[in-house]
């Protein structure tokens, strides 16, 4: 029991379970999953389905944050990738031509990876602070996306393209498989090769890492590139889901949600240790919260207040200091004050 | 040793100033009506509130933290002011101190959570951002216009400057805040403690500095600045609205960082922030003088100008460093 | 002396960290007007005791009395206000602030709340010069100075606080003889003024030179408290280590095999860098140990960094096995079989969040690249091997390295580089903060590695150590290499003379 | 008629009078005749947040080119403060007329006074401002969001006039706090509140986007089983919602009646497939009307204070007929 409680994922899991239980109490049907037209249909599936693009972005973001960076441009990359894919398809004679769709996807992904590389270049080679370097693309990127779409929403009619974001494979949405695949890829890359160690060490202490011979430039470049790639994939899923590309709104505020997910998952914004599974849990928490808000009919004007309170609760409950205060005030043995404890908190 | 020897730490500031002058000169050559004092003064008038929040944010970033709640606190301040004045009929003399106190205590609350419960500033202030913005809509979804004579006077009074130009009262407030903040950062114990915390929080603690108190104060100060910026913003807009100052936190952070403050904390100058704000303003001005850009080109050009500026700044700075060495 | 009331009494102090009982039932007394040495192996709990005393960590159990009253400081600030001034083991100052600020922050001279910068710089300059005979530009950021200077600044800060108790946790670990003398004379003066001084060091000579009383800890337990004059050296060592030990000094001095060293592992020809080191020549033979001696700031560290590519040399060339090579980055140096263990373990050495295992294998893995990952099993084997070889405590490869005691962190760094089996190993203050037993072990290890053909460049501020193990000594002065002394010529006097310049 | 659009040059330089240092009220009211000097129009657009807005921008740009008016266009990226800055810089550039679509209704007095003092007439497009001082602008050209909501409401009431029992309505709101969302909601509620059988069982914000419309509708469909009507504040949300309804195995337009506002082309396509039952148009093509107005203002002719743009509503049949004519 003690071991479980000490596990870094214990509290995120608890929060997620609490949210789900709340839903179950509110609506006993919440967990019901039906099979409809050969696919599973239900709230839980929706959470996975709508969570998958965010999960993709957050996975990429985790690596960037682990290197002590941040990527604010993901939302814009989502929009650009969506725009490129839809624009390419819309220019085709036969929008449903598999070759065309594949070309469109490859183009979009290549562009996204390139944009990620550009961010990495600014950060590592030019030495611009990550937040500013990626802010540039965040601003410019929306413009580029709109330039591609001429400010319009490009609608495509391409069942083949639609499969990616709205299709079903073995009862589950295709996008869920894509997210799972990328997650597995990231986990494999970071845990089976030495990349994870390098990323963590660069994020923890860049100087020491350089002196230990770790190619910190390459490592960080890779992180940004991967993040761009993930955002691009998310853009394809999002646009394919609604069969259209909206340069202005696609992926709007994604950067905040993605960073939030990463932080809830236990990765520190100061770089170093990162937790991909934690990030995934963070995404599920955020998406479950969103779904909860929609399905319980919280009035839109208080949505944000609810979100704020939940976010606060999530991070307070993860704080050992708060739990101690809470326990103390519940038991109310004797009010004693907080102790200064240096940087001794261990993450198991 | 010479009296005019440039210190390495000052190189970015000097580079930014030089660039700002350069851009202004370029703008003057390119656009009619650009080369006038009033254009510069408008820069101040239009960015007074940004300057005020950015000053508060500078302290936060110097300490190695971040405050995402500033834009929402501004919105909440405008909303609260408007609701209290127009709907509840309270006098401005009560409302303004009240909103300032509220902003300050909200900041202090976030600071306390950040410090005592050791939660990352990003997430705490993000929650603060959602909360403040959400509270706006709880007060009212609609915009509330302010017709109170005091606010109208504050909004429309033009303080004449020799040469037929003018500034607004908000500019005076903003410049006063700037001056006070420079003093605070460089000539008080509090300010130095902020730098120390940014340099290394654990060391600061071991050096016997009041880390906890200072951190709470830093966020309280940022909250105060946001609320004050909210008041100035209310003068500027004469309305309370839940969507005011949307996304301002990023503009603010950008201004601070462009001004040479390191996001990792401990390095930077309040005056740099002033330059950062002016730079963002001048980019906006250039865009509106250009007058032929479509919406997307506007974004692209803003981004490209930003990039150019930062590249030049780095180039100049590294030159300076080489010469210094 | 005995009859006086102790100024400070810590009784029955317990402190546990996850997995480690750092202190169990420690009693400690400190009398006014004495210098009290706290001794123990690496990881014995010395620093922890100090941190408990100064409110950095809360004690799990126990009581602290100062002048008879129970105190319970919750932070170093409170401890300071109670009159306890501390220099912690690692340099805990702010690298971004100026030297003057680091000394005086929190107590700046002010007028109407406004800091008087001029007065502050003046005061800092005066303090450093008068007390520690150090003349540096106090307006420059602290981070631009070497570790030794930073250590002196930290000491100056502590000295400037009017205190009843002064705590110095390994203040001398990277200071040279002269600086140490300076510090000791200040300490003796403070002792006369009635201050109680707690002093931690691993240098036995220093203990016997200044201390009046010794408390020994082992594995977090109190072993004994003695008056210094009643405790012979060997007895002290065996109390610390827990077993009898023959005199440590008697290391087998290598009989020179000068002939072998004709084959050079690395030759630097006219290598230098503007503003840091004047061009110098240095060749290191296969299996040779070259020591580097010099005063504080003489440029030893900076010369070593050039050889490793940590800073890029802007003049001269390198020759390895007869061929010209470029060394522009640590990466290239490592690929060519050079390793460099930095003196600054906190900022340039350990990767603090990562585990001991990961820290140990970092350099080896880096040289193997991304895809040839060491298997987890292999990593554990390697880590275990070196934990045993260097006696790293606690012997758990999975704890974050930041939770290790200072000396043990140093051993982890050594392990990291030994693991790469370099052709040339550059060691900058490798024994910094390492206890007597371990120091001897490490010296033996270095000698045996050299016998197997590894070249070593050995930098230490402890001259004795350099003299003991070097085959050849390069002396630096004012950022220039001024002489080279080899073989039979090596003697304390000659080296001292070269260092002093004559 | 259409004329070559290459008249717009990159930079100004032509039209403005000799630069004077002061921005003090000058007596140089736009007295130049429209003869040789081109009229300079400063237009501050809200942003490019939707296809509707882009069509609006395009219409204005094309109409200006066609009318031979020198357009200074500035995009506010959805921020009121940017619009205020833009208007200040128009004053600085001494344009002949300023026109803008206010981001919000309130907070314009200060800057419009400056314009008034500088003698530059102001035209509002698309949205009104709520200033009591109507002398700050010469005319307001645009649609009436409340009326759009009412039209949607009237259609719903009409459809269910013979229906007894509750009519369950789901509302997809626009961005919380935005003027169209508030007004379209208010107008709709005003009409349906007349009869208590109309019940809004869920009302959630879909941020005016397809993706959100889909996501929100998906959740609502799980929580509510019998929905009769979907009222979406814009077409994009309706299009997203249609997808959700289809995924739930229902038939949009039949099982759930759908009303939406705007009238973009994709909505007409959906309507022609019977998936949207009623479209309330909100016309973005104000350009030609605006240019006429500008010319009149400059010429000193009297103009009406309020000009409502011509807007229609479309049932499925009308939508099918209209579809070929839709440009945006
Ligand atoms: N923050 C911490 N978290 C966990 N364990 C710790 C922490 N700090 C110290 N320890 C452990 O407590 C024990 C005592 O460490 P301490 O730093 O007091 O040793 P020390 O006697 O000062 O050694 P050294 O001579 O190497 O400085 C060690 O085993 C160390 O690993
Ligand atoms: N007067 C001074 N005395 C000592 N160090 C100085 C002095 N002035 C500057 N320094 C700084 O100290 C550093 C000296 O270089 P370096 O670290 O190579 O010396 P070192 O011989 O290794 O001595 P140390 O024992 O201090 O490490 C330089 O970075 C320099 O900036
Ligand atoms: Mg220690
Ligand atoms: Mg050195």
């Amino acid at each position: 029991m003690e071991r479980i409680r000490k596990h870094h994922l214990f509290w995120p899991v608890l929060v997620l379970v609490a949210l789900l239980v709340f839903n179950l109490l509110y609506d006993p049907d919440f967990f019901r999953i039906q099979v409809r037209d050969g696919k599973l249909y239900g709230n839980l599936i929706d959470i996975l389905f709508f969570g998958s693009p965010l999960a993709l972005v957050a996975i990429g973001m985790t690596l960037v944050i682990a290197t002590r960076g941040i990527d604010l441009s993901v939302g814009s990359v989502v929009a650009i990738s969506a725009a490129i894919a839809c624009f390419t398809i819309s220019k085709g004679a036969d929008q449903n031509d598999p070759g065309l769709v594949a070309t469109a996807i490859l183009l979009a992904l290549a562009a996204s990876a390139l944009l990620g590389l550009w961010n990495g270049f600014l950060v590592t080679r030019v030495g611009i602070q990550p937040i500013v370097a990626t802010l540039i693309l965040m601003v410019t990127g929306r413009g580029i996306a709109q330039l591609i779409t001429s400010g319009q929403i490009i609608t495509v009619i391409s069942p083949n393209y639609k499969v990616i974001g709205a299709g079903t494979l073995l009862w589950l949405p295709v996008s869920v498989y894509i997210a799972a695949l990328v997650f597995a890829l990231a986990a494999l890359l970071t845990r089976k090769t030495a990349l994870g160690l390098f990323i963590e060490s660069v994020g923890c202490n860049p100087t020491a890492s350089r002196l230990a011979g770790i190619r910190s430039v390459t490592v960080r470049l890779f992180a940004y590139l991967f993040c761009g790639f993930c955002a691009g994939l998310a853009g394809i899923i999002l646009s394919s889901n609604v069969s259209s590309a909206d340069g202005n709104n696609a992926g709007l505020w994604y950067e905040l949600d993605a960073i939030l997910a990463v932080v809830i998952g236990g990765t520190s914004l100061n770089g170093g240790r990162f937790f991909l599974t934690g990030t995934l849990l963070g995404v599920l928490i955020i998406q479950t919260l969103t779904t909860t808000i929609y399905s319980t009919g919280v009035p839109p004007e208080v949505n944000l207040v609810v979100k704020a309170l939940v976010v606060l609760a999530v991070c307070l409950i993860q704080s050992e200091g708060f739990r101690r205060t809470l326990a103390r005030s519940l038991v109310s043995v004797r009010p004693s004050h907080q102790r200064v404890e240096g940087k001794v908190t261990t993450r198991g | 040793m010479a009296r005019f020897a440039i210190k390495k730490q000052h190189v970015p500031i000097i580079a930014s100033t030089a660039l700002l002058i350069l851009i202004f000169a370029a703008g003057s050559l390119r656009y009619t009506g650009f080369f006038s004092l009033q254009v510069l003064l408008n820069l101040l008038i239009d960015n007074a509130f940004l300057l005020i929040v950015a000053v508060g944010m500078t302290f936060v970033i110097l300490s190695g933290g971040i405050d995402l709640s500033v834009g929402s606190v501004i919105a909440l301040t405008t909303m609260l002011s408007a609701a209290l004045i127009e709907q509840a009929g309270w006098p401005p003399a009560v409302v303004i101190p009240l909103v300032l106190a509220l902003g300050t205590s909200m900041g202090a609350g976030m600071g306390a959570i950040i410090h005592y419960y050791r939660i990352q500033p990003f997430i705490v202030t993000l929650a603060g951002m959602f909360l403040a913005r959400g509270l706006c809509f709880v007060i009212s979804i609609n915009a509330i216009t302010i017709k109170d004579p005091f606010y109208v006077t504050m909004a429309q009074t033009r303080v004449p400057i020799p040469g037929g130009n003018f500034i607004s009262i908000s500019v005076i407030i903003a410049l006063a805040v700037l001056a006070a903040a420079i003093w605070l950062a460089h000539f008080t114990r509090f300010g130095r403690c902020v730098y120390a915390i940014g340099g290394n929080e654990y060391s600061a603690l071991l050096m016997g500095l009041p880390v906890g108190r200072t951190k709470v104060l830093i966020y309280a100060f940022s909250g105060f600045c946001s609320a004050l910026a909210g008041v100035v913003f209310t003068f500027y807009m004469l309305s309370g609205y839940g969507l005011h100052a949307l996304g301002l936190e990023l503009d603010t952070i950008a201004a601070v960082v462009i001004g040479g403050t390191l996001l990792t904390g401990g390095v930077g100058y309040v005056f740099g922030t002033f330059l950062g704000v002016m730079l963002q303003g001048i980019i906006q001005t250039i865009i509106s003088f250009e007058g032929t850009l479509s919406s997307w080109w506007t974004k692209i050009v803003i981004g490209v100008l930003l990039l150019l500026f930062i590249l030049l700044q780095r180039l100049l700075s590294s030159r300076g460093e080489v010469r210094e060495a | 002396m005995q009859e006086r009331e102790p100024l400070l009494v810590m009784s029955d102090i317990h402190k546990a960290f996850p997995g480690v009982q750092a202190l169990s039932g420690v009693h400690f007394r400190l009398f006014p007007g004495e210098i009290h040495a706290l001794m123990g192996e690496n990881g014995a709990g010395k620093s922890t005791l100090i941190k408990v005393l100064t409110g950095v960590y809360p004690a799990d159990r126990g009581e602290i009395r100062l002048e008879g009253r129970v105190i319970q400081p919750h932070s170093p600030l409170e401890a300071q206000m109670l009159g306890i001034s501390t220099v912690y083991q690692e340099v805990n100052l702010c690298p971004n602030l100026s030297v003057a600020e680091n000394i005086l922050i929190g107590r700046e001279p002010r007028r109407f709340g406004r800091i008087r910068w001029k007065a502050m710089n003046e005061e800092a300059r005066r303090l450093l010069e008068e007390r520690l005979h150090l003349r540096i530009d106090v307006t420059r950021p602290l981070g631009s100075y070497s570790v030794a200077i930073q250590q002196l600044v930290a000491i100056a800060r502590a000295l400037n606080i009017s205190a009843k108790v002064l705590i110095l946790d390994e203040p001398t670990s990277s200071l040279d003889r002269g600086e140490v003398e300076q510090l000791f004379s200040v300490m003796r003066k403070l002792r006369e003024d009635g201050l109680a001084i707690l002093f931690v060091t691993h240098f036995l000579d220093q203990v016997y030179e200044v201390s009046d009383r010794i408390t020994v800890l082992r594995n977090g337990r109190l072993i004994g408290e003695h008056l210094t004059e009643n405790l012979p050296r060997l007895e002290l060592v065996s109390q610390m280590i827990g077993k009898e030990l023959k005199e440590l000094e008697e290391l087998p001095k290598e009989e020179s095999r000068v002939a072998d060293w004709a084959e050079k592992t690395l030759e630097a020809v006219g290598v230098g860098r503007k503003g840091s080191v004047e061009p110098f020549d240095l060749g290191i033979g296969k299996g040779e140990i070259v020591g580097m001696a010099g005063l504080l700031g003489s440029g030893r560290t900076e010369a070593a960094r050039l050889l490793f590519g940590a800073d890029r040399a802007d003049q001269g060339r390198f020759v390895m096995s007869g061929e010209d090579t470029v060394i522009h980055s640590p990466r290239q140096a490592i690929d060519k079989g050079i390793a460099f263990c930095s003196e600054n373990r906190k900022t340039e050495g350990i990767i603090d969040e990562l585990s001991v295992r990961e820290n140990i294998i970092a350099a080896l893995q880096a040289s193997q690249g991304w895809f040839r990952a060491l298997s987890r099993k292999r990593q554990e084997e390697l880590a275990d091997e070196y934990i045993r070889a260097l006696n790293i405590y606690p012997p758990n490869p999975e704890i974050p390295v930041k939770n290790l005691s200072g000396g043990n962190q140093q051993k982890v760094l050594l392990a990291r580089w030994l693991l790469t089996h370099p052709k040339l190993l550059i060691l900058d203050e490798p024994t910094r903060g390492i206890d007597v037993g371990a120091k001897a072990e490490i010296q033996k290890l270095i000698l045996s590695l050299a016998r197997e053909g590894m070249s070593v460049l050995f930098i230490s501020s402890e001259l004795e150590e350099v003299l003991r193990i070097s085959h050849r000594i390069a002396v630096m002065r004012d950022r220039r290499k001024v002489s080279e002394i080899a073989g039979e010529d090596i003697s304390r006097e000659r080296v001292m003379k070269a260092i002093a310049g004559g | 008629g259409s004329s070559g659009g290459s008249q717009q040059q990159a930079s100004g330089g032509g039209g403005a009078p000799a630069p004077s240092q002061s921005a003090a009220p000058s007596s140089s009211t736009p007295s130049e005749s429209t003869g040789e000097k081109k009229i300079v129009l400063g237009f501050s657009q809200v942003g490019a947040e939707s296809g509707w807005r882009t069509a609006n921008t395009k219409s204005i740009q094309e109409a200006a080119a066609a009318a031979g008016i020198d357009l200074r266009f500035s995009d506010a990226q959805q921020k009121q403060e940017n619009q205020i800055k833009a208007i200040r810089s128009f004053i600085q550039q001494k344009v002949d007329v300023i026109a803008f679509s206010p981001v919000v209704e309130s907070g314009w007095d200060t800057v419009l006074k400056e314009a008034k003092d500088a003698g530059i007439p102001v035209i509002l497009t698309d949205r009104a401002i709520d200033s009591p001082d109507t002398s700050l602008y010469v005319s307001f050209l645009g649609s009436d969001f409340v009326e759009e909501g009412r039209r949607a409401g009237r259609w719903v009431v009409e459809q269910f006039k013979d229906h007894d029992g509750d009519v369950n309505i789901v509302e997809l709101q626009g961005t919380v706090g935005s003027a169209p969302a508030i007004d379209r909601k208010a107008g709709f509620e005003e009409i349906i509140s007349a009869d208590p059988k109309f019940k809004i069982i869920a009302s959630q914000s879909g941020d005016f986007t397809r993706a959100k419309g889909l996501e929100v509708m998906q959740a609502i469909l799980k929580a509510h089983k019998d929905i009769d009507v979907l009222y979406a504040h814009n077409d994009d949300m309706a299009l997203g919602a249609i997808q959700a309804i289809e995924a739930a195995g229902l038939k949009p337009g039949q099982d759930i009646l759908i009303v939406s506002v705007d009238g973009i082309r994709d909505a007409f396509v959906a309507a022609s497939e019977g998936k949207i039952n009623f479209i309330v148009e909100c016309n973005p093509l104000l350009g030609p009307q605006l240019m006429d107005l500008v010319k009149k203002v400059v010429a000193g002719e009297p103009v009406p204070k309020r000009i409502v743009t011509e807007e229609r509503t479309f049932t499925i049949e009308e939508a099918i007929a209209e579809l070929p004519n839709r440009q945006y």
Side-chain angles (χ1 to χ4, degrees), chain C residues 256-277:
Chain C
S256 9
R257 298 171 298 155
V258 185
D260 289 359
W261 301 327
E263 186 189 337
K264 299 287 184 215
T265 308
L266 174 75
E267 260 183 297
V269 184
V271 168
R273 184 181 156 90
K274 281 213 190 61
S276 81
V277 194

Side-chain angles (χ1 to χ4, degrees), chain C residues 396-497:
Chain C
N396 175 358
E398 295 311 320
I399 57 174
V401 75
K402 66 177 175 187
N403 290 350
L404 253 48
S405 78
N408 283 302
Q409 290 178 357
Q410 188 68 42
K411 294 184 199 167
V412 168
L413 288 187
L414 266 174
R416 174 191 295 171
W417 290 113
L418 292 178
L419 199 58
T420 62
H421 298 295
K423 290 197 211 125
L424 168 62
L425 178 60
I426 304 173
L427 297 169
D428 194 356
E429 310 277 3
T431 54
R432 200 182 136 213
I434 284 191
D435 65 44
V436 263
K439 197 178 275 183
E441 290 299 317
I442 288 174
Q443 290 171 2
K444 255 189 251 162
L445 189 70
I446 292 171
L447 284 170
S448 80
L449 285 171
R451 222 171 291 127
E452 287 163 22
M454 188 188 287
S455 311
V456 179
L457 182 64
F458 188 89
I459 304 173
S460 169
S461 45
E462 200 192 343
L463 187 55
E464 303 306 328
E465 196 180 32
V466 179
L467 291 171
R468 195 176 311 136
I469 72 169
S470 308
H471 302 132
R472 190 149 54 92
I473 295 178
V475 179
M476 302 282 295
R477 188 171 73 232
D478 293 338
R479 291 137 197 278
R480 262 184 325 120
K481 189 179 148 204
V482 287
S483 90
E484 218 170 81
I485 303 164
E488 303 299 318
D489 295 341
I490 293 181
S491 71
R492 201 185 151 80
E493 291 65 41
R494 278 207 60 169
V495 176
M496 291 287 273
K497 222 168 124 195

